[in-house]
């Protein structure tokens, strides 16, 4: 009995959902419908249903809700295609889990390994290299062209460059023994002295040395800007003549020059004791001249020595001439070499 009632109920429900809706104009001239209410939820492949009713006469309307259709997820590759075989991919409906499968065509592309060199090329012969497909193990081989690059040994200088001429160098290929020759540019002339300034005493010598020079260059001449103060010979030996300054210039055959400023100073002599003055009319160890006359002047040196001041340019017979303070006693020749001239009062 229950099974019959259930069947009748389902038949009536199906009839209601399929029959058109009829309303009574007498009961309600204009329906005021409620919102649609879902009765049966639609699925991927089955339609659902929903209904509404009039708020005045409570008449009901029914309608279908179309099936939603499958909601597919992303394709998932289950088997990768290779160079010889196809693969496939699968997608599933997120609602009903129904799946679809699709073939992935073979790539027809080998999965090659890196090229491996079998034989290195050189400047004369080609080389070769090969690779293998990691899937089907097919091998592929190709030729490596001649490099046209020689395996040169180190450059060897065959002629050294100088400041006046170019040099040459050569090298040889270790494979084909080809020889290559190349010129070495002429060197740039440079000259450097060991000192830029120097001091020399009057009458003394000082050697100016060359610190560095360009290969092949030679000394042309040494010159002095003031020969009265200092002179220089062909070897760079400077001789101080008198107090002052002079510039010594070295000129090379290439034309480059280097200069050294020379300062000539007075000779460094120890101060000798001054001669004593003669006193007249006095007693003691000094002798008096006859007739009671006396003299206070000092006799000029008879041994060829003169007196020179710390400042000034004159030499004197008398150490007290010109009110000199702490004068030095030197030979007449040394005084002249140092640039001193005779005092007009003494001579």
């Amino acid at each position: 009995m229950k099974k019959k009632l259930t069947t009748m109920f389902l038949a009536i429900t199906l009839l209601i959902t399929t029959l058109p809706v009829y309303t009574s104009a007498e009961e309600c001239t204009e329906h005021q419908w409620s919102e649609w209410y879902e009765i049966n939820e639609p699925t991927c492949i089955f339609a659902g249903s929903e209904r509404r009713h009039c708020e005045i006469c409570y008449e009901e309307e029914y309608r279908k809700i179309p099936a939603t259709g499958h909601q597919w997820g992303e394709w998932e590759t289950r088997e990768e295609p290779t160079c010889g075989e196809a693969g496939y991919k699968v997608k599933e409906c997120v609602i009903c889990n129904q799946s679809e499968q699709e073939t992935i065509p073979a790539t027809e592309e080998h999965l090659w390994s890196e090229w491996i060199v079998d034989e290195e090329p050189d400047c004369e012969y080609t080389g070769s290299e090969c690779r293998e497909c990691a899937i089907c193990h097919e091998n592929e081989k190709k030729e490596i062209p001649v490099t046209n690059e020689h395996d040169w040994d180190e450059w060897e200088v065959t002629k050294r460059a100088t400041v006046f001429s170019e040099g040459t160098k050569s090298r040889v290929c270790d494979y084909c023994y080809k020889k290559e020759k190349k010129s070495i540019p002429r060197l740039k002339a440079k000259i450097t002295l060991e000192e830029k300034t120097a001091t020399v005493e009057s009458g003394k010598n000082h050697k100016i040395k060359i610190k560095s020079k360009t290969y092949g260059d030679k000394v042309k001449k040494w010159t002095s800007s003031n020969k009265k103060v200092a002179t220089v010979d062909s070897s760079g030996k400077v001789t101080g003549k008198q107090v002052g300054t002079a510039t010594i210039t070295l000129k090379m055959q290439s034309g480059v020059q280097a200069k050294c400023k020379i300062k000539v100073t007075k000779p460094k002599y120890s101060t000798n004791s001054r001669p004593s003055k003669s006193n007249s009319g006095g007693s003691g160890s000094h002798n008096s001249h006859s007739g009671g006359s006396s003299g206070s002047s000092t006799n000029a040196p008879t041994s060829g020595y003169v007196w020179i001041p710390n400042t000034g340019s004159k030499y004197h017979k008398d150490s007290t001439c010109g009110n000199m303070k702490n004068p030095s006693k030197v030979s007449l020749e040394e005084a002249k070499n140092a640039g001193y001239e005779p005092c007009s009062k003494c001579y």
Side-chain angles (χ1 to χ4, degrees), residues 22 27 33 39 47 55 70 74 81 91 99 112 129 135 143-145 160 237 243 253 262 274 328 334:
Y22 294 95
E27 294 180 4
W33 298 109
I39 301 173
E55 300 288 351
H70 292 295
E74 298 291 330
K91 66 178 179 179
S99 64
W112 295 112
E129 58 184 350
I135 300 170
E143 185 181 83
I144 305 174
R160 189 174 177 182
K237 185 175 74 173
V243 176
Q253 290 183 357
I262 298 294
R274 299 178 181 178
S328 299
E334 289 176 324

Side-chain angles (χ1 to χ4, degrees), residues 150-158 168-174 178-182 184:
H150 297 282
D151 189 10
W152 299 109
D153 58 10
E154 295 295 328
W155 285 103
E156 182 180 352
V157 177
T158 55
T168 56
K169 59 183 179 179
S170 64
R171 59 181 181 176
V172 178
C173 175
D174 290 334
K178 181 179 179 180
K179 191 172 184 180
E180 186 178 47
K181 191 175 181 181
K182 194 174 183 180
I184 303 172

Side-chain angles (χ1 to χ4, degrees), residues 72-88:
W72 298 110
E74 298 291 330
W75 284 104
E76 180 183 348
T77 300
R78 296 294 174 85
E79 187 173 340
E80 293 285 350
T82 66
C83 50
E85 296 181 359
Y88 72 92

Side-chain angles (χ1 to χ4, degrees), residues 28-35 52-59:
C28 187
T29 58
E30 185 175 352
H31 293 295
Q32 294 185 11
W33 298 109
S34 65
E35 297 291 330
R52 66 179 180 177
H53 65 273
C54 177
E55 300 288 351
I56 299 173
C57 65
Y58 298 102
E59 183 174 340

Side-chain angles (χ1 to χ4, degrees), residues 94-148:
V94 298
I95 298 175
C96 66
N97 296 327
Q98 183 175 336
S99 64
E100 281 189 4
Q101 182 175 307
E102 188 174 298
T103 299
I104 304 174
T107 61
E108 297 181 357
E109 294 181 0
H110 293 288
L111 185 59
W112 295 112
S113 64
E114 295 293 328
W115 286 102
I116 299 174
V117 176
D118 293 326
E119 188 174 352
E120 292 283 355
D122 57 36
C123 51
E124 282 189 300
Y125 302 101
T126 60
S128 62
E129 58 184 350
C130 68
R131 62 181 180 176
E132 184 182 85
C133 176
I135 300 170
C136 65
H137 303 292
E138 181 178 339
N139 287 319
E140 188 177 49
K141 191 172 184 178
K142 70 176 182 179
E143 185 181 83
I144 305 174
V146 173
T147 61
N148 293 323

